[in-house]
Amino acid sequence: MCRFHQLSDAEKILLRDQLLAYAASIGGKNSFLKLLETIHRASPHPLVSKTALLRFPKGLIKWNKNVHRDNLSLLSTRLNARTDENQNLMASPEDKNYKNVTNMLRSLSPLTFTVAMNNEADGTGFSFKAFEILDETTTVITPMFEIFFFCPVNVAKKLINFVPKQAATEE
C-alpha cells in the first residue's frame, strides 16, 4: 500500500475516491492532510496511547481498544514481511512466531477507528476498521489503516491528487 508506484490505476482510483470521501466528511483535503500529519508527528506512536485517543486541530480520532507496544512492533514486522503477491498478515503454522502473530491478530481484529469533529459545521466524521479477516488463515490490513498509521503523508497526497494518464491526456 505504501508503495504507490506498484498500485494499478484502478486501485489508485478506488483509494483516491475513498480518501476524497473521507476528506469531504471532515472539511476538505487540507483538514484531512492535517489529520495525517498530526498522526505522524505524534510521539510515541499514537496507537500505543493509553487513552486510545488522538486530538487534531478540528477534532479527534479515537479507537475502541488499547494497542500494546509489543503488538505494534509485531504488526510492523508482519507489514514489512508481506510481499506483493501475498498480503496476508497471518504467519504460516511452521513459523516460529505463529502463536504470537495469531494472538496479536486475534487481539487487534476488532480495532475500529472513529474520526469525530469538534463542530458539526466542520464535517460529520467517519469510521474505518483496521483489519479484514477473510478466513481463519488469512487476515489483511485495510488500506485506510495502513495509510493513516504506517504510510508517509506524501503517499496520501499522491493518492488524493492522482489523475489517471488517460484522463490527463484527454483534458
Side-chain angles (χ1 to χ4, degrees):
M1 180 53 50
C2 293
R3 298 179 184 126
F4 177 79
H5 61 282
Q6 293 179 347
L7 297 173
S8 70
D9 280 358
E11 291 171 319
K12 290 176 186 176
I13 290 169
L14 185 66
L15 289 171
R16 178 197 64 196
D17 293 345
Q18 194 171 8
L19 289 175
L20 288 173
Y22 285 169
S25 72
I26 63 168
K29 289 181 187 179
N30 286 337
S31 295
F32 183 76
L33 293 172
K34 284 180 184 176
L35 165 61
L36 292 181
E37 289 170 357
T38 301
I39 290 170
H40 289 281
R41 277 195 310 253
S43 181
H45 197 285
L47 287 176
V48 296
S49 167
K50 287 181 176 34
T51 59
L53 175 81
L54 177 71
R55 295 190 183 282
F56 66 98
K58 289 190 174 187
L60 56 92
I61 183 169
K62 55 187 170 183
W63 47 100
N64 59 338
K65 192 168 179 39
N66 287 339
V67 178
H68 298 287
R69 192 173 302 276
D70 57 337
N71 281 343
L72 181 62
S73 176
L74 185 57
L75 175 59
S76 182
T77 301
R78 294 302 304 164
L79 287 173
N80 291 334
R82 294 178 305 169
T83 64
D84 292 335
E85 298 81 32
N86 184 7
Q87 293 292 310
N88 188 8
L89 295 174
M90 184 65 83
S92 66
E94 300 83 33
D95 191 338
K96 66 178 181 175
N97 286 331
Y98 175 75
K99 185 175 179 181
N100 291 338
V101 171
T102 303
N103 289 339
M104 179 265 301
L105 291 173
R106 189 176 300 134
S107 167
L108 297 181
S109 64
L111 198 56
T112 303
F113 297 87
T114 304
V115 177
M117 305 307 291
N118 292 336
N119 300 321
E120 288 184 23
D122 291 334
T124 57
F126 57 90
S127 295
F128 61 93
K129 292 191 68 62
F131 300 101
E132 290 179 33
I133 300 171
L134 304 177
D135 59 37
E136 287 185 17
T137 60
T138 310
T139 301
V140 295
I141 190 168
T142 62
M144 290 303 117
F145 180 52
E146 189 169 1
I147 289 170
F148 271 74
F149 291 99
F150 297 101
C151 292
V153 176
N154 68 358
V155 171
K157 287 180 186 177
K158 287 178 184 177
L159 281 168
I160 286 176
N161 297 319
F162 176 72
V163 177
K165 289 178 181 158
Q166 185 179 18
T169 56
E170 292 173 2
E171 292 177 2

